[in-house]
Amino acid sequence: MREIPFAIVFDMDGTLFQTETVLVPALHKTFDRLRREGLWQGDTPVGKYLQILGVPVSEV
């Protein structure tokens, strides 16, 4: 049996594809859960996360 190559691409800065299409729904889901568990109050800080897309880690 022939082995199928497997790869995972991490593109958290939006270089290869529009990360926000995955990031925004994931943020809402995550912060909804944090609110239910009493670990976060207020709106989901989507804007803060969108500001750091494409920014080098050293600047974040």
Side-chain angles (χ1 to χ4, degrees):
M1 186 166 136
R2 187 174 159 189
E3 202 170 308
I4 299 172
F6 181 80
I8 297 175
V9 176
F10 291 94
D11 177 42
M12 297 308 295
D13 67 353
T15 303
L16 300 176
F17 74 110
Q18 294 179 326
T19 303
E20 66 274 7
T21 60
V22 175
L23 176 65
V24 172
L27 286 172
H28 284 298
K29 187 173 182 178
T30 299
F31 281 89
D32 286 346
R33 181 173 179 168
L34 290 172
R35 281 187 284 274
R36 282 193 309 273
E37 295 179 7
L39 299 171
W40 184 263
Q41 295 178 346
D43 295 332
T44 302
V46 173
K48 288 223 179 247
Y49 284 86
L50 292 177
Q51 288 176 351
I52 64 171
L53 288 181
V55 177
V57 173
S58 60
E59 292 181 36
V60 174

